[in-house]
Amino acid sequence: MKYLLLLITIVFCSCSPKISTSVSEKHEKLNETEKVVVFNSKSELPASYSKIGTTKIGDTGFTTNCDFVTVLEKAKIEARKSGANALLITEHLYPHSFGSSCHRITADLLKIENVTDYNKPKIVKDSVPATNKSKIVLDGTKQYNLNNYGRSKSSSNFLISANIGQSFRVASSPDGLNSAQKKYYRDLKSGLSYDLSAYYLKEGKTGFGLKYNVYKSSGTLNNQQITLNDGTIVTGGFSDDITISFIGPSFILTEDEHARVGEANLEIAVGYMSYQDKAKAVGVPFKITGSNLGVVGGMGYHFRITPHFLVGPQVSFVGGVLKKLKYKYADGSTETVKLDDEEFENLWRIDLSVGAKFRF
């Protein structure tokens, strides 16, 4: 029985917010019905007050009952225990998709002279009436309009992102190459990539939109011999100028604008991928093209520069497979070649980029 009671106690404590309070001055404990005023900035404080400690309401990792109203009430209880009749919120961390699902606050414990001056809540200019998906929270000095995650109704509905960086194709090179040929293939398998995306966001966290992604590489190989169909041996150079493009619908899962340091995100897009190689063989130009279904999957973390502008690293996996290629020769003739299974053109690559996000 004692083990059952211990287990129940552990589960109960794990579900409650983590509370840490430190007091520098001892005061008589307040009655649980006494008013505690909440301030959100130092500019709201009265001319005369004293700080007697701090309290922090956090997340144990298993906390479930941690909406803003509950967390704020926990802070008020800590204030009364310490003899404080006011709180100054110095930090408010919001729930987000890639971390804690709780509101977390840090507040100074204060003593003020007259709490009756703050009986009537003041409504901030950007407050809006409560709807079915929101609720009004009164803290004694202000009125907030919060939805289920404490976000304001003015959250961004659109997001534009752009990335640029170095890319590396993962296809293997042919065997038996000399040093010059190996360098040639390395040049073709690494290049510059960039992409642009635009999303419409739902609740600032999930969104659907359109992604455009491009990869470019080029290489030159000189003084090579090839044997023509009639047995003639010719000497010359080879060059390739490759462009791989993708466009298609995309989905994003991201932290919203209330994440303090920055925003993590995941993206997935499926669409049309095209391949183009403007090539030359011993001075004769020709073009190789192909297309198929393509996929882009990416993850990144962008640090907040301003409330709506962020910059940070992004890694993406991009690619598809070509099962046939179309050749267009200098005389205007064309030829379509179906590739055997072992000859499929592998377009998969890794993009390592620096990106920017803009919310509006």
Side-chain angles (χ1 to χ4, degrees):
M1 185 60 151
K2 64 179 181 180
Y3 296 110
L4 178 59
L5 292 174
L6 178 61
L7 179 61
I8 293 172
T9 301
I10 292 173
V11 171
F12 177 79
C13 293
S14 298
C15 293
S16 299
K18 180 181 178 181
I19 301 173
S20 175
T21 300
S22 62
V23 177
S24 57
E25 296 181 12
K26 289 187 177 181
H27 290 266
E28 185 179 348
K29 180 179 178 181
L30 301 184
N31 188 287
E32 62 181 15
T33 61
E34 291 196 44
K35 182 178 179 61
V36 175
V37 179
V38 179
F39 300 98
N40 293 275
S41 68
K42 288 187 176 181
S43 62
E44 300 172 355
L45 294 174
S48 177
Y49 69 91
S50 62
K51 177 182 173 181
I52 65 172
T54 60
T55 187
K56 184 174 182 179
I57 314 299
D59 181 9
T60 64
F62 299 95
T63 306
T64 55
N65 189 16
C66 52
D67 58 88
F68 183 69
V69 178
T70 300
V71 168
L72 189 61
E73 189 57 40
K74 294 286 185 183
K76 290 182 180 181
I77 292 172
E78 291 302 301
R80 294 188 186 100
K81 288 180 181 178
S82 305
N85 59 0
L87 293 168
L88 170 62
I89 296 178
T90 57
E91 183 179 54
H92 181 184
L93 301 179
Y94 288 75
H96 54 83
S97 303
F98 300 97
S100 175
S101 60
C102 293
H103 286 268
R104 292 143 290 152
I105 64 172
T106 302
D108 291 341
L109 305 176
L110 308 178
K111 286 286 288 185
I112 61 176
E113 292 182 357
N114 192 357
V115 296
T116 58
D117 293 341
Y118 304 93
N119 280 336
K120 287 189 176 181
K122 301 173 185 178
I123 302 176
V124 293
K125 290 190 296 184
D126 57 354
S127 293
V128 293
T131 64
N132 292 335
K133 294 184 178 181
S134 63
K135 53 191 175 185
I136 297 298
V137 178
L138 300 181
D139 67 2
T141 60
K142 284 195 175 183
Q143 177 172 306
Y144 299 89
N145 184 273
L146 305 172
N147 64 18
N148 292 336
Y149 290 99
R151 297 173 55 252
S152 75
K153 296 291 285 183
S154 60
S155 298
S156 303
N157 291 323
F158 296 94
L159 183 150
I160 294 176
S161 67
N163 300 290
I164 185 168
Q166 189 72 18
S167 297
F168 305 90
R169 292 179 64 182
V170 300
S172 59
S173 301
D175 297 327
L177 301 178
N178 59 37
S179 59
Q181 292 168 339
K182 288 179 180 179
K183 182 181 182 305
Y184 170 66
Y185 274 97
R186 283 198 302 268
D187 291 341
L188 294 181
K189 289 171 61 178
S190 64
L192 178 73
S193 67
Y194 60 88
D195 73 41
L196 295 170
S197 304
Y199 293 101
Y200 175 78
L201 300 175
K202 181 181 179 182
E203 297 184 347
K205 294 186 176 184
T206 59
F208 292 91
L210 189 68
K211 178 175 283 291
Y212 177 64
N213 180 286
V214 176
Y215 166 87
K216 287 183 173 291
S217 68
S218 60
T220 301
L221 185 63
N222 297 315
N223 301 319
Q224 299 295 305
Q225 288 185 345
I226 61 171
T227 302
L228 303 179
N229 292 334
D230 59 4
T232 304
I233 298 176
V234 295
T235 302
F238 292 82
S239 67
D240 295 87
D241 185 359
I242 296 174
T243 302
I244 303 174
S245 302
F246 169 91
I247 188 168
S250 184
F251 169 81
I252 189 171
L253 175 64
T254 181
E255 296 181 78
D256 64 19
E257 63 266 43
H258 290 306
R260 286 175 59 87
V261 178
E263 299 176 11
N265 68 269
L266 295 172
E267 291 181 274
I268 184 70
V270 179
Y272 174 79
M273 179 166 282
S274 65
Y275 173 91
Q276 177 181 270
D277 182 6
K278 295 179 180 179
K280 284 185 181 181
V282 292
V284 180
F286 61 99
K287 185 164 67 174
I288 307 172
T289 57
S291 61
N292 204 347
L293 185 71
V295 177
V296 179
M299 64 186 72
Y301 190 90
H302 297 81
F303 296 92
R304 195 174 307 284
I305 307 301
T306 71
H308 296 284
F309 179 69
L310 305 94
V311 176
Q314 177 95 3
V315 58
S316 299
F317 302 90
V318 185
V321 174
L322 297 180
K323 298 182 178 180
K324 62 181 179 179
L325 296 172
K326 181 178 180 180
Y327 291 78
K328 184 176 183 179
Y329 301 106
D331 62 1
S333 62
T334 60
E335 178 186 10
T336 299
V337 178
K338 290 186 177 181
L339 304 175
D340 295 331
D341 291 353
E342 64 274 9
E343 297 176 332
F344 286 169
E345 183 72 21
N346 183 355
L347 303 182
W348 282 99
R349 69 178 196 268
I350 299 172
D351 293 353
L352 302 177
S353 309
V354 174
K357 291 168 63 177
F358 178 67
R359 289 176 172 270
F360 62 99

